[in-house]
Amino acid sequence: MADFKLFSLKHGVAELPSSQVALERELQTLLEQNMTTFFGVTFLKSEYKITNGRMDSIGIDENNCPVIFEYKRSMNENVINQGLFYLDWLLDHKADFKLLVMEELGLEKAEQIDWSMPCVICIASDFTKFDEHAVNQMQRNIKLVKYRKYGEEFLAFEFLNTPQVQPSLEESPVPVKKSKGDKSFRQRLEETSSLFQNLYFSIHDYILSLGDDIAENQLKLYVAFKKVKNIACVEVYQSYILMHLRLNPDTVDLQPGKIEDVRGKGHWGTGDLRVIIKSSEDFETAKPLLDRAYYEN
């Protein structure tokens, strides 16, 4: 894979040498202690033992989906196959994961687990072109992340692929708001009018056009568009579309009924800024906010 270079501008221009060393336990501990900052994932357990092995790290992301981390410590280690094995094991042992979440984060969080988009993140100092090709052929939610250390002060991550996979429709989470009327995102999209179907796909296409690093995760109740973390979560209803954006509402001109601050208010997905779209004009107004959510995260 092509490498990238980092330069210091503090005292003239000087290239900072990068290290491509085997991933040590110290670095794994650093990633686990800062998993939310690095990957938007809440850390659950290190060296999680299962019947036929142990997962390096395991967590749950901001969409309440399970995330497995595997670290490539040597060139001969096949973390992709290991991660795929652990992912299949986890899907066959959902009760074990729910128990782990319950022990670490409580019953309420355990009831919110969404099995529609579990993920494996493989981390290494380098991958081959064959690794990336293999992952793309698998059509599974497996992400390859390359890291570089620059001295003792800098750590860089390069996300090598953006998997686009279909969600599992077999599982549905128990929603936070326990309402009998909760329909899946797909049901709501199919039942709404052609006007809002077309409007949704216009929003969908616009968000994906912002960059190749955006992944679309279609979950049970909403669609999350994410880079490392969610930048926008979208829900479709009969007479409007809701978007929740990862933007600080204090930096936006709010409009009651159109652009609202929802900090402290319960809602599906993530994001403190709610945008209500009822027309193509509303969508045009929302585009600069979508641009900001992409470039500021």
Side-chain angles (χ1 to χ4, degrees):
M1 295 294 177
D3 200 3
F4 55 87
K5 298 181 180 294
L6 183 66
F7 294 87
S8 172
L9 306 179
K10 189 172 183 180
H11 302 292
V13 177
E15 181 180 350
L16 300 179
S18 67
S19 59
Q20 188 179 354
V21 297
L23 197 148
E24 301 172 353
R25 178 66 193 182
E26 181 182 356
L27 182 56
Q28 179 178 339
T29 301
L30 175 67
L31 299 184
E32 290 174 345
Q33 292 175 345
N34 298 276
M35 201 169 275
T36 301
T37 301
F38 289 144
F39 302 104
V41 174
T42 299
F43 172 67
L44 293 173
K45 199 170 186 65
S46 181
E47 306 298 329
Y48 180 57
K49 294 181 180 179
I50 64 171
T51 308
N52 298 312
R54 64 177 66 194
M55 304 177 190
D56 288 339
S57 307
I58 191 167
I60 187 168
D61 71 11
E62 57 192 338
N63 298 311
N64 299 314
C65 295
V67 182
I68 298 167
F69 287 82
E70 286 298 307
Y71 310 103
K72 186 175 183 179
R73 294 175 173 83
S74 68
M75 289 302 296
N76 295 327
E77 190 174 10
N78 195 328
V79 291
I80 297 173
N81 286 346
Q82 289 175 9
L84 187 60
F85 172 80
Y86 293 144
L87 179 60
D88 288 340
W89 185 93
L90 198 63
L91 291 171
D92 288 334
H93 297 80
K94 298 182 180 71
D96 296 83
F97 182 75
K98 182 175 181 178
L99 180 61
L100 174 63
V101 175
M102 192 182 307
E103 291 173 347
E104 298 295 329
L105 304 177
L107 178 60
E108 182 178 355
K109 190 68 173 180
E111 295 291 348
Q112 299 170 24
I113 298 171
D114 191 326
W115 288 99
S116 57
M117 196 63 67
C119 178
V120 175
I121 298 179
C122 300
I123 300 177
S125 60
D126 204 1
F127 292 95
T128 70
K129 62 181 180 181
F130 303 108
D131 292 330
E132 189 170 352
H133 177 77
V135 166
N136 292 335
Q137 292 297 312
M138 288 177 185
Q139 294 293 302
R140 303 294 293 273
N141 196 15
I142 300 176
K143 301 177 181 178
L144 304 183
V145 179
K146 175 180 169 182
Y147 81 91
R148 280 288 189 277
K149 289 184 68 178
Y150 293 87
E152 297 300 320
E153 296 186 11
F154 298 99
L155 177 64
F157 293 109
E158 182 181 5
F159 293 78
L160 301 180
N161 68 316
T162 306
Q164 301 289 346
V165 296
Q166 291 298 315
S168 169
L169 301 179
E170 298 176 359
E171 302 298 330
S172 61
V174 177
V176 181
K177 301 174 291 183
K178 296 181 180 178
S179 167
K180 295 180 179 179
D182 287 318
K183 296 182 179 180
S184 71
F185 171 84
R186 183 166 294 186
Q187 285 177 301
R188 291 190 184 279
L189 183 60
E190 291 174 351
E191 293 175 1
T192 195
S193 65
S194 59
L195 169 66
F196 285 99
Q197 288 178 356
N198 292 334
L199 193 53
Y200 166 73
F201 286 114
S202 294
I203 295 169
H204 166 278
D205 293 345
Y206 183 81
I207 295 175
L208 292 182
S209 73
L210 291 172
D212 293 336
D213 54 346
I214 299 179
E216 173 194 0
N217 284 3
Q218 189 178 124
L219 302 161
K220 171 68 178 178
L221 299 168
Y222 59 93
V223 173
F225 297 91
K226 63 189 303 177
K227 294 168 74 176
V228 178
K229 302 178 182 179
N230 292 348
I231 62 170
C233 295
V234 182
E235 305 162 52
V236 176
Y237 295 94
Q238 286 291 328
S239 57
Y240 59 92
I241 294 173
L242 286 186
M243 290 197 307
H244 291 98
L245 306 182
R246 188 181 290 276
L247 284 176
N248 182 350
D250 294 336
T251 66
V252 177
D253 292 329
L254 303 178
Q255 303 176 37
K258 290 191 175 183
I259 303 174
E260 302 176 337
D261 180 351
V262 291
R263 285 176 292 194
K265 298 180 181 179
H267 60 81
W268 300 119
T270 60
D272 291 331
L273 186 72
R274 173 179 291 167
V275 181
I276 302 169
I277 297 178
K278 298 181 179 179
S279 65
S280 56
E281 289 76 18
D282 290 340
F283 175 39
E284 291 300 319
T285 301
K287 283 182 179 179
L289 297 175
L290 286 168
D291 293 347
R292 282 190 54 196
Y294 175 75
Y295 288 109
E296 294 178 18
N297 290 286

